[in-house]
Structure formats: structure tokens, C-alpha cells
């Protein structure tokens, strides 16, 4: 496998947001973060352990689709899930996960079974 | 690699937009104070003090260091849920209506359904609801489908 640059992972976190007994936030593992803040439904803030020298990093994120728990692709008829950064600084990155919606589906919550964020630099 | 949160403590505060934020510590709780936006009052609480039910989390407020639900804001969240739920149903009824027009069929039932969906957010029972349970009960599954509060 060819690599470009150092591909250093500055921080990453993975959590579940589908368990009511955990108030819909269960952190499973992380690296380089002092904490994670739930700012709103589907909106999270990863606070870095150390202030970075600059904010020229890449943020990747993923969320499992709502119907994936069934193990079936049938009825997965929503629009594309969304992921974007709403804040991007040397001390934190704020991300938003959102379900797409389909005419007869509700799209109420962003309670995916798996949410992951990875901050990478060159 | 850290696994899970570092303690059962949580830090809460009110964001400038009025939303209650909940911080889950990975490092020791005292190291996480830096993660609270500067200038905002914060409170350290136990995880069990965070409501398990997040249906109305956009209506949360902090009172004396504890999370409570603002019923006025919760009503608006409920109305937004209704508006979201009815979107697809109105689209489907629009198609039914057009088809009925094309065949000169009776449209009165379709019109009545559309009116019920339009009127749903302004149901006086929503304004009358004083508790979360009462608010959740104001979901007409006949016209809106499955309740989001399951």
C-alpha cells in the first residue's frame, strides 16, 4: 500500500447513539480527545487533548444507516446520510450527522448504531 | 486508545443558541473543563441525571444545575415532528387528488385528509398539554402514522 505524507491520525472517536439506557450516547473508543460533547441531536464536538499547531487537517466521518440493523438493504429508501463539519479549529472539531429522508419515512432522529469521526493530517 | 468515558460525571451547560450541551469526559473530568466554551456557566452532574428519553432534548433547559424540559419549547418540537411526518403524506395525497381530478372522481375524502394534516400542528390539545406524557399522547396515528415517541 502506498502512503502519502505521514497520514497521522490526530484524533478519532467512535460511539453508539442508539441506546436509550445510555441517553443515546455511548462512547466506545477514542484517541487524542479529552472529551466529546453532544451539542444537539446528531451534532457532536470532539475536543482535542492538545491544541494543534494548525487546523489544516482532514475530517472523515461515518454513520450506520438507520435500517442496517436488519441486515437487509430492503426498504433503505432514504436520501443520503449527511456528514459535515460545523466548526473546525485547533482545539476542536464539531460535526453533524443527519439522516436523509424519504417521503414516507420520518427522519426524526440521528440515532445511528455507529458514529465515527477521524481527524487526519499529512 | 481510550475505551468509553472516564467517569460517571458529565458536564452540562447552555449553548448560546439555548441548546443544552452534554460533555462526556474521556480524560479526567478536571481536564475537561477547558472544553466548556469560555464564558458559559457549567455544572457537573452524574450520568443518571441526564434524561434517558431524548425525544424533546431540543426543549431541555438547565434549572438549578439540573436538566428539565421546557414544555413551551417541547410543544414546538412536537409540532415540528408533525410537520415533518405530514410532508410525505401530503405529497401522496396531492397525487391522489390529481388522479381523482383526471377521472372526475369525488375528491372530498382526499380534501378532508389534507385539511386534517394541515390542521394537525394547531390542534388545541397540543397547547393544552402540560407534561411530556400528555404531549406524546397528542399524536394522531390515524393521519400521521407511527408515533416517533416509541
Amino acid at each position: 500500500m502506498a502512503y502519502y505524507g505521514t497520514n497521522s491520525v490526530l484524533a478519532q472517536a467512535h460511539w453508539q447513539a442508539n441506546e436509550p439506557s445510555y441517553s443515546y450516547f455511548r462512547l466506545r473508543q477514542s484517541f487524542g480527545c479529552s472529551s466529546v460533547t453532544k451539542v444537539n441531536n446528531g451534532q457532536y464536538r470532539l475536543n482535542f487533548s492538545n491544541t494543534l499547531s494548525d487546523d489544516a487537517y482532514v475530517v472523515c466521518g461515518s454513520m450506520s444507516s438507520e435500517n442496517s440493523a436488519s441486515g437487509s438493504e430492503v426498504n433503505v429508501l432514504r436520501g443520503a446520510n449527511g456528514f459535515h463539519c460545523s466548526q473546525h479549529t485547533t482545539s476542536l472539531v464539531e460535526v453533524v450527522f443527519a439522516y436523509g429522508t424519504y417521503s414516507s419515512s420520518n427522519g426524526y432522529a440521528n440515532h445511528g448504531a455507529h458514529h465515527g469521526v477521524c481527524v487526519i493530517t499529512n | 486508545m481510550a475505551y468509553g468515558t472516564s467517569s460517571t460525571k458529565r458536564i452540562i451547560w447552555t449553548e448560546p443558541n439555548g441548546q443544552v450541551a452534554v460533555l462526556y469526559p474521556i480524560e479526567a473530568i478536571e481536564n475537561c473543563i477547558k472544553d466548556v466554551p469560555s464564558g458559559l456557566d457549567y455544572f457537573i452532574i452524574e450520568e443518571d441525571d441526564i434524561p434517558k428519553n431524548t425525544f424533546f432534548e431540543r426543549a431541555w433547559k438547565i434549572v438549578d444545575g439540573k436538566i428539565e424540559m421546557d414544555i413551551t419549547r417541547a410543544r414546538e418540537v412536537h409540532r415540528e415532528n408533525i410537520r415533518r411526518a405530514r410532508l410525505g403524506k401530503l405529497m401522496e395525497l396531492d397525487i391522489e387528488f390529481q388522479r381523482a381530478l383526471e377521472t372526475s372522481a369525488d375528491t372530498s375524502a382526499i380534501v378532508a385528509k389534507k385539511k386534517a394534516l394541515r390542521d394537525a400542528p394547531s390542534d388545541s390539545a397540543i397547547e393544552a398539554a402540560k407534561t411530556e406524557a400528555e404531549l406524546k399522547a397528542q399524536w394522531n396515528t390515524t393521519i400521521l402514522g407511527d408515533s416517533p415517541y416509541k
Side-chain angles (χ1 to χ4, degrees):
Chain A
M1 179 182 291
Y3 289 93
Y4 172 74
T6 62
N7 290 280
S8 173
V9 175
L10 299 172
Q12 55 103 335
H14 172 248
W15 61 90
Q16 288 183 236
N18 64 336
E19 295 183 287
S21 58
Y22 287 85
S23 299
Y24 293 97
F25 184 89
R26 184 185 183 190
L27 187 71
R28 301 307 300 266
Q29 54 98 340
S30 66
F31 171 79
C33 306
S34 54
S35 65
V36 177
T37 302
K38 184 178 181 185
V39 185
N40 205 335
N41 184 16
Q43 186 173 358
Y44 304 89
R45 194 175 288 155
L46 265 70
N47 302 294
F48 302 141
S49 295
N50 301 301
T51 303
L52 308 178
S53 56
D54 61 58
D55 67 348
Y57 52 75
V58 173
V59 183
C60 307
S62 66
M63 176 177 67
S64 51
S65 63
E66 184 173 29
N67 295 335
S68 63
S70 66
S72 167
E73 294 182 355
V74 176
N75 295 326
V76 183
L77 293 171
R78 293 169 185 271
N81 286 351
F83 171 82
H84 68 267
C85 296
S86 52
Q87 277 199 75
H88 188 270
T89 76
T90 56
S91 58
L92 63 87
V93 62
E94 189 171 297
V95 296
V96 177
F97 296 92
Y99 280 138
T101 57
Y102 173 68
S103 63
S104 60
S105 58
N106 55 41
Y108 290 114
N110 300 302
H111 293 157
H114 300 280
H115 295 245
V117 177
C118 188
V119 179
I120 307 168
T121 186
N122 279 334
Chain B
M1 184 88 69
Y3 292 90
T5 49
S6 61
S7 78
T8 59
K9 301 288 186 188
R10 305 287 182 260
I11 305 177
I12 59 170
W13 65 87
T14 304
E15 289 277 301
N17 64 3
Q19 178 68 36
V20 172
V22 180
L23 179 146
Y24 296 80
I26 296 169
E27 297 182 356
I29 194 82
E30 56 269 22
N31 291 348
C32 300
I33 302 301
K34 71 173 180 55
D35 300 335
V36 179
S38 61
L40 300 183
D41 292 333
Y42 63 87
F43 303 90
I44 298 176
I45 63 172
E46 287 293 328
E47 63 178 348
D48 286 343
D49 294 329
I50 299 173
K52 297 288 184 274
N53 172 348
T54 59
F55 294 126
F56 295 103
E57 65 182 341
R58 283 191 292 128
W60 286 355
K61 62 180 178 181
I62 298 175
V63 179
D64 297 330
K66 293 181 179 176
I67 296 175
E68 293 185 3
M69 192 185 78
D70 183 322
I71 189 67
T72 302
R73 287 165 60 191
R75 289 189 193 108
E76 194 47 45
V77 171
H78 181 74
R79 291 186 181 105
E80 287 171 15
N81 285 339
I82 291 174
R83 293 184 187 108
R84 193 176 295 121
R86 73 180 180 182
L87 267 179
K89 299 185 183 308
L90 282 170
M91 288 167 62
E92 290 166 3
L93 287 170
D94 282 343
I95 294 170
E96 276 186 48
F97 185 79
Q98 287 298 325
R99 285 180 175 158
L101 284 182
E102 289 167 12
T103 58
S104 300
D106 182 12
T107 59
S108 57
I110 301 170
V111 170
K113 286 180 184 175
K114 290 176 72 172
K115 183 176 187 315
L117 285 170
R118 286 198 200 95
D119 293 345
S122 54
D123 188 330
S124 59
I126 296 172
E127 195 60 37
K130 303 294 183 198
T131 66
E132 182 175 333
E134 289 176 7
L135 198 51
K136 285 179 182 175
Q138 301 310 316
W139 188 271
N140 186 340
T141 55
T142 305
I143 61 171
L144 296 170
D146 291 342
S147 167
Y149 311 124
K150 292 187 293 187

